[in-house]
Amino acid sequence: MVLSIAIRQKKQLRGYTYTVMIFASVTAAMFYPAIFVEIKGFQMGGLIVPLLQIIMFGMGTSMSFNDFKGVIKMPKGVIIGILCQFTIMPIVGYALAKGSGFPPEIAAGIILIGCSPSGMASNVMSYLAKANLALSITITAVTTMLAPFITPLLMGLLAGEFVEVEVWKMMMDIIKIVMIPIGFGLLFNKFFKGKAKWLDDAMPVVSMVGIALILVIITAAGRDSLLAIGPLLIVLVTIHNLSGYTLGYWAGKLFRMDEQDCRTIALEVGMQNGGLASGIAKEMGKIATVGLGPAVFGPLMNVTGSILASYWHRKPVDIPAKEVGETVT
C-alpha cells in the first residue's frame, strides 16, 4: 500500500499505482488472512457494502445527467452496447461455470460477474484506446442504472441451478449499493460542481483504496478455496474476460459500427463492475465462495484492459469519410 502511494507521486509511474496496490493487497491477504477476516470481534466483511457505496457516490460525482443524453444522440451504439453487455458475458459465464466442475457457489460467482454491468474502468480504457469515450460513458451509466433490474433476473435464470437466488432481495440490495449513492453523487455534481475540488482530487484515491480493501477481505475469506482452485479459476476468468473483448468487438463489426465504436463495445463488454459483484456476493452471505470469481476478475481485467488499450492506442483509427468532410467544413 505504501509502495503504491509512493509510486503515485512519480508522474512516469503513476499509471501503475492501481496494479501495484492490487498485487500488494492480494499478497497480504494470502499470507496474513486472519487479520483481514476479523479484528477484535468485528467482521471485516461488514465494510464491503459501505465501501462500495462510497465508491459509487464517487462515480456519481464524476457523472452528470448529460451522460444519459447519449441514448438520444447515439441510440444505435447504446442499444447494441447494452444488448451485448447483458447477453455475451452472462452466456459465456454460464457456459464456463457449467463446465468448470467447481463447487456450485464458486461456479455461481463466474455467472455473477458476467451478469454485472460495466464499470468506470472501461471509460478509462476507452480513452486510452482512442475509442468513443462519450459512448463508453453513456453505456456504463445506463447499464449501471439497469443493473438492479436485469442482473437479478439473469442470476435467477442462469445461476439458479447453482445457488439459491432471491431475485427481489437482490434488486433491493443493488438499489442500496448502486442507485442511491450514484443518485446522491449526481445531485452533488449538479449543485456543487467546481466548488469541492478537494473531493474531485480525493475520490480516485479513495476508490482505489476502497477496491483494494474489498479485494483483501474477499481474498482472505476465500483463501483456502483459492489455494485449491486458484489456477483453474484464473484460467476460466481470463477466458471469460477475453471472450468479452473479442465477441464485443465483432458484434460491433457485425452491426457495421465504425472502428472507434467497435473498440468501445469491446471494452464495455469485457470489463465488468467487479466491486458491485462482490457487494452482491456479500449480501447473499457467500463472500468466501460466490465472491471469488469477481475478486479474481477485477484485477485481471485491469491488466488485460491496459494491454489492449495500449495496443489500440498505437493503432490508427480510420475516420469515416463523412466525419472528415465535417471536419474540413
Side-chain angles (χ1 to χ4, degrees), residues 72-106:
I72 299 172
K73 296 178 181 177
M74 302 169 287
K76 177 183 176 181
V78 174
I79 291 170
I80 292 172
I82 293 170
L83 289 175
C84 289
Q85 177 67 49
F86 288 122
T87 55
I88 291 173
M89 292 300 273
I91 292 172
V92 173
Y94 175 79
L96 291 172
K98 192 75 173 174
S100 68
F102 288 158
E105 291 186 1
I106 295 177

Side-chain angles (χ1 to χ4, degrees), residues 160-241:
E161 66 182 89
F162 296 96
V163 66
E164 182 180 358
V165 178
E166 298 179 42
V167 175
W168 180 251
K169 180 180 181 300
M170 190 177 289
M171 285 183 179
M172 294 298 102
D173 289 338
I174 300 176
I175 288 173
K176 175 180 68 176
I177 294 171
V178 175
M179 293 189 74
I180 293 176
I182 285 182
F184 278 113
L186 283 166
L187 292 173
F188 186 94
N189 185 33
K190 181 176 178 62
F191 294 109
F192 299 101
K193 185 176 182 179
K195 298 177 182 178
K197 188 175 183 304
W198 63 270
L199 185 64
D200 296 335
D201 295 337
M203 282 314 301
V205 177
V206 171
S207 295
M208 283 194 298
V209 173
I211 292 171
L213 284 173
I214 290 170
L215 184 59
V216 162
I217 294 167
I218 297 170
T219 303
R223 176 180 179 270
D224 293 341
S225 295
L226 274 175
L227 289 174
I229 64 165
L232 180 56
L233 181 60
I234 291 172
V235 170
L236 294 182
V237 165
T238 302
I239 293 172
H240 198 184
N241 175 226

Side-chain angles (χ1 to χ4, degrees), residues 87-151:
T87 55
I88 291 173
M89 292 300 273
I91 292 172
V92 173
Y94 175 79
L96 291 172
K98 192 75 173 174
S100 68
F102 288 158
E105 291 186 1
I106 295 177
I110 299 175
I111 299 174
L112 175 58
I113 191 66
C115 295
S116 300
S118 54
M120 293 293 284
S122 63
N123 305 155
V124 177
M125 298 308 168
S126 290
Y127 171 74
L128 296 174
K130 296 182 179 179
N132 188 335
L133 181 58
L135 177 61
S136 175
I137 292 171
T138 301
I139 293 174
T140 297
V142 175
T143 56
T144 299
M145 300 311 278
L146 288 175
F149 314 104
I150 297 181
T151 297

